Amino acid sequence: MTRSATSSTDSAVLRAEGLRREYDELIALAALDLRVGRGELVALVGPNGAGKTTLLAIAAGLLDPSDGTIQICGAAAGSVAARAETSYIPDTPVFYQDLSLGEHLEYIARLHAAPDWQAHGASLVEQLGLDQWWDKLPTQFSRGMRQKASIALGFIRPFSLLLADEPFDGLDPPSRLVLVEMLRAASAAGAAVIVSTHRTEIADISSRCIALHDGQLVYDGPPDRSVISSGELPVPRQGAGAPGRPRSGTR
Amino acid sequence: MTDAAAWSANQPSGLEALRDLRAARRRRYAEQIDWIETLYRLYLGVIFGGLGLALISGALADVRVGRHTIETIHRSGPAALGLLVAIAVAGGLRSGARGGPLVLEAADVQHVLLSPVDRGAALRGLAVRRVRTATFAGLVVGLIAGNFAFRRLPGPPAQWFLCAGVFGAALAASGFASAMVASGRRLHHAAASLLAVLILGWSLIDLIGRRVTSPASMLGQLALWPLHSTGDSFALPAAGLAAAAVAIGFGLSGLAGTSLEAARRRAGLAAQLRFAVTIQDLRAVILLRRQLASETPRSRPWLRLAPGDGPRHAIWQRDWQSFLRWPLVRVVRVCVLGALAGLALVGAWRGTTPLLLVASLALIVAAFDAVEPVGQEVDHPTRLSLLPVGAGDVIRRHLVAPVVMMAGVLIVAVATAIAAGAPGQCVAVLVVMVLPTAILTLCCAALSVTNDPYAYAFAPALGYFQTGLPVALVIIGAGAPALIARQAAHHGGSPVAAAVECELVVLVICRVVIAALRHRTATRFPVRS
């Protein structure tokens, strides 16, 4: 369920300028400039500790940047307007202990004033093979089932920007294909989708690949399986991105 | 309708969803409660708690204070109690700068605070409930203090109960409110610390000058209102109460600014903390509390020790390396606890016997910091098991440096007692108490951190005994010598001689505790052949 319009005149759904985040002495993100436009499906890749989760959490409004700005549809990340536009699927699913899957879907849909959430919720759980689990507690699900439930919660509400942090983790191959289809559909409907992953399946559907290394943007270009599998990331040079490749900007 | 207008229009429905869900969860929770059992426990708690308190108060039969002491309390008491309020506010500010005082569910952070509903409105209900709980806890503690106060001080008992109860409630609410203000307004650590120092400084100036100028001292004056003279105006205590109310309102109004990063971190830690409390794992509680307070060892030690050679003093050196990495806040806390113990012991010497409990608790809390090297050893059982010496022997050697540290804490207590004008006999007794009390508190803390929280998972009564024993031993070992020495002084005997005799018994208790520690660790971490 994606939003059909935004109030911003800027075509970029996500716009980061000089985005920087430090944890004590560790630089998790170093002065990142980034624009992601409507309908783009971006594979965000990089080795562990590259800054992928930090970038997504800042965009979701969960973390504050140490410096720089980040806007979602023209509103500061974390503001009410930005929260209405951003759906975030965390790397570790988070659920209430005392709510069933159906109750979670209802609650989140209502918090976001999602229209016709019952039909959409039923369709989502059917797609993800969760229809038998509607009345069950997600906290008692297996790892893969919890991940599917978390994906359903990410898709139940309207959004212009979908941030998915390692959404393929724990999913079986058929479920991965379902998720690929869901991401493709969200992007086709006009949402900007950013997926942090090491899975090469994303190469087939993504329109752009962004690689981070030690908090720096080292690749921003067409999807490349070798880059996505993160074994062959170009090492950043002092003050410059990967040679011959665009560093940033909406393509 | 633009999207911005649509978000605004959606706000009420989002809040309505939030209210509906919370109401449904409360109903579900209430359905699971066995009300008869709960009421029965409450009934027992009130009956036995009240009876116990009345019996203890009656049994202590502390004498009423003289005219001179009443005058001193009347002059310095408001500022002294104001200092307590200032400490609570300063603690609240520091906690708030780290994201306190609210503890949210991780799911609330993810699903509610990331949704487009007003965060202030979403958090207000929880914050009000927490303020209510803190205020009620403060009220109960205040009532207990009022119960002891009216037995020694002039004034109608009802007035003492009322004033002490309201003071306790206002003290707790002020601490909580200051944390909400710091958290909601995103005060930086440095700014919060500076503000805390200023508030403490103002109260200290009041105390030194025996004046009532700060709102904290005004609240202190409220607690001692039963001692007021006929011409005294109630304007200052009322202003103190108003300041506390304004702080609560200011804190509640800024809740929307709460940091989600801190909320998420606290959510995870608080869940672990609740579990640790449930299984009575004091060591885990201490470690998690330090993480909640972002209290980490210094990356650069206060002083770098020269590298040692050979195994002879390896443990001694390792322990001092640990102490030399204490963050400033821990150093200050341990010193304050030592000073508090000293003041409480002087108060007990002068006739307020319940203060012995305060002194004992302050010392055991300080000992939990001093025993850290032992805790670290127990936290890494594989390393301990692989050493070429018995674990019991390692733990015993680990006690030496922490005992020296605890002796330092007790020296702070003695110095504070001298500064507070304690009589010579009292100071002499405290000096006798330094070493045995340091050994006892440290050994009891070591006994506590080496407890296996799962050992009595199926026998909760034994679990409570295991958790409570070290604390009980400290209360007896630190309180009894002071009490017996005081009795000796009252009956014309030598308090120092009485204290020395008592401390010999305390040393025997220490010997038994050390033997138990060695046996326990040797059994849990046997040397592999």
Side-chain angles (χ1 to χ4, degrees), chain B residues 83-463:
Chain B
L83 190 60
L84 269 186
V85 178
I87 290 170
V89 170
L93 284 171
R94 285 183 51 83
S95 158
R98 291 186 299 263
L102 296 184
V103 179
L104 307 171
E105 276 182 85
D108 263 342
V109 178
Q110 169 70 27
H111 302 306
V112 177
L113 298 188
L114 283 186
S115 74
V117 297
D118 175 10
R119 284 183 186 157
L123 293 176
R124 201 161 296 129
L126 174 69
V128 168
R129 279 198 300 280
R130 292 290 313 275
V131 170
R132 218 163 46 201
T133 308
T135 308
F136 180 72
L139 175 78
V140 171
V141 174
L143 289 174
I144 292 171
N147 170 57
F148 287 110
F150 88 80
R151 291 165 197 275
R152 298 205 64 206
L153 294 163
Q159 219 174 73
W160 274 112
F161 276 118
L162 182 67
C163 292
V166 173
F167 170 77
L171 184 146
S174 303
F176 199 86
S178 62
M180 283 196 298
V181 170
S183 167
R185 316 282 158 177
R186 301 272 186 108
L187 274 192
H188 190 268
H189 296 181
S193 297
L194 180 67
L195 198 54
V197 168
L198 289 175
I199 290 169
L200 284 170
W202 194 359
S203 287
L204 267 176
I205 290 168
D206 270 2
L207 184 61
I208 293 164
R210 295 178 168 182
R211 282 176 307 200
V212 178
T213 62
S214 74
S217 305
M218 293 172 193
L219 273 179
Q221 198 171 42
L222 169 73
L224 298 174
W225 188 249
L227 296 178
H228 75 278
S229 318
T230 10
D232 289 349
S233 156
F234 193 71
L236 286 180
L241 275 178
V246 167
I248 293 170
F250 193 52
L252 287 173
S253 69
L255 284 172
T258 302
S259 157
L260 263 59
E261 183 179 354
R264 226 168 35 142
R265 191 175 65 86
R266 289 176 67 84
L269 288 172
Q272 294 175 52
L273 192 62
R274 279 194 204 107
F275 179 71
V277 170
T278 309
I279 60 167
Q280 299 163 51
D281 186 353
L282 271 186
R283 171 71 184 153
V285 169
I286 291 164
L287 291 178
L288 289 165
R289 197 211 64 78
R290 281 184 193 154
Q291 283 187 47
L292 267 176
S294 306
E295 192 182 308
T296 50
R298 290 166 63 85
S299 49
R300 262 177 300 190
W302 293 103
L303 183 72
R304 211 173 278 282
L305 297 179
D309 194 18
R312 194 172 155 78
H313 297 300
I315 291 177
W316 167 264
Q317 171 132 354
R318 180 253 175 273
D319 292 352
W320 281 104
Q321 279 166 338
S322 167
F323 297 143
L324 288 169
R325 284 189 189 275
W326 275 15
L328 181 64
V329 64
R330 201 179 302 170
V331 176
V332 172
R333 182 175 60 235
V334 166
C335 290
V336 167
L337 287 167
L340 177 66
L343 288 174
L345 285 168
V346 174
W349 181 268
R350 287 180 171 153
T352 310
T353 312
L355 287 176
L356 285 175
L357 193 65
V358 176
S360 306
L361 292 178
L363 288 174
I364 185 81
V365 173
F368 278 127
D369 277 327
V371 82
E372 181 61 19
V374 178
Q376 286 292 330
E377 209 64 75
V378 177
D379 289 347
H380 301 90
T382 312
R383 192 171 293 279
L384 189 58
S385 296
L386 290 174
L387 289 175
V389 287
D393 196 36
V394 173
I395 295 295
R396 186 182 56 80
R397 285 196 227 172
H398 263 303
L399 297 177
V400 183
V403 163
V404 174
M405 176 60 76
M406 271 313 290
V409 173
L410 278 139
I411 288 169
V412 171
V414 175
T416 311
I418 294 169
Q425 282 185 327
C426 172
V427 174
V429 168
L430 291 185
V431 169
V432 170
M433 285 174 67
V434 167
L435 198 56
T437 310
I439 299 172
L440 179 75
T441 47
L442 199 282
C443 290
C444 288
L447 197 62
S448 181
V449 298
T450 54
N451 276 344
D452 177 1
Y454 300 100
Y456 302 108
F458 298 106
L462 286 177

Side-chain angles (χ1 to χ4, degrees), chain A residues 5 21 60 62-64 78 80-81 83-85 88 90 94-96 98-99 103 107-108 110-113 153, chain B residues 3 7 10-11 14 17-18 20-21 25 28 105-108 110-117 119 186 261 264:
Chain A
R21 171 68 202 207
L62 277 171
L63 288 183
D64 296 324
V80 172
R83 290 188 329 244
E85 297 291 359
Y88 173 60
V94 182
F95 303 106
Y96 293 99
D98 56 349
L99 291 190
E103 288 164 337
Y107 182 47
I108 290 160
R110 286 183 60 198
L111 282 175
H112 290 268
L153 299 187
Chain B
D3 275 10
W7 297 322
N10 289 343
Q11 285 271 354
L18 192 62
D20 287 353
L21 173 97
R25 293 182 78 192
R28 200 171 293 177
E105 276 182 85
D108 263 342
Q110 169 70 27
H111 302 306
V112 177
L113 298 188
L114 283 186
S115 74
V117 297
R119 284 183 186 157
R186 301 272 186 108
E261 183 179 354
R264 226 168 35 142

Side-chain angles (χ1 to χ4, degrees), chain A residues 45-52 166 198 211-214 218 227 229-231 233:
Chain A
V45 301
N48 295 335
K52 305 185 297 290
E166 308 281 6
H198 297 286
L212 297 177
H213 190 281
D214 285 345
V218 292
V227 171
S229 61
S230 71
L233 284 176

